Structures are given as structure tokens and as C-alpha cells.
Amino acid sequence: MLWLFAAEYPELIHPFASAIDTELPAPDEMICVKANSKPDWVRWPEGKKHVYQNYGPDSIEGWHKKHGQFVE
């Protein structure tokens, strides 16, 4: 399994999304991070989204708790 780490949240480590084999619901909107490192030739995905130059204000855990998607 692949894991993600962000220095902004050193206490957290997350599985890389494409490595999760459980069926998940389609999101109502996307969170796009690291816009400051996106090459010009890369297009943003279509649909409703929030784009952040670096990381957004929520950790992955925080986002899931805020949206009622957190599972202990």
C-alpha cells in the first residue's frame, strides 16, 4: 500500500486514495491541493472544486469529520 505524508500534519499518515479497494461514494466537490506546483499543461478536473495553492485548511481527517464521513 502507498502512504501519503505532509509536513504540515506530522502526526498524520494516510493511504494513497487509488490504493483503497473499498467502493466509495462519488464526491459532491473536489479538493485540489498544491496548485503552486501544478505544471501549466495539466488541466484541473471538471466539476465543482476548491483549489488551494498549497494545502487546504483541513487535514484529511478533519475534512471527513466536518462532512460526516469519518469512520473510527
Side-chain angles (χ1 to χ4, degrees):
M1 177 170 289
L2 298 174
W3 297 92
L4 297 175
F5 170 79
E8 289 84 354
Y9 306 104
E11 71 283 4
L12 303 175
I13 187 167
H14 302 284
F16 190 68
S18 65
I20 298 172
D21 59 3
T22 303
E23 199 168 319
L24 300 172
D28 295 329
E29 61 186 17
M30 292 172 273
I31 304 297
C32 302
V33 298
K34 302 301 281 181
N36 58 358
S37 65
K38 179 187 79 59
D40 291 335
W41 53 267
V42 173
R43 293 178 295 201
W44 291 113
E46 294 182 17
K48 186 177 177 184
K49 63 186 145 296
H50 295 282
V51 177
Y52 296 99
Q53 290 301 307
N54 197 20
Y55 290 104
D58 299 315
S59 67
I60 294 173
E61 179 180 339
W63 184 95
H64 282 83
K65 286 180 175 178
K66 184 191 293 186
H67 291 86
Q69 299 293 317
F70 187 77
V71 178
E72 274 300 327

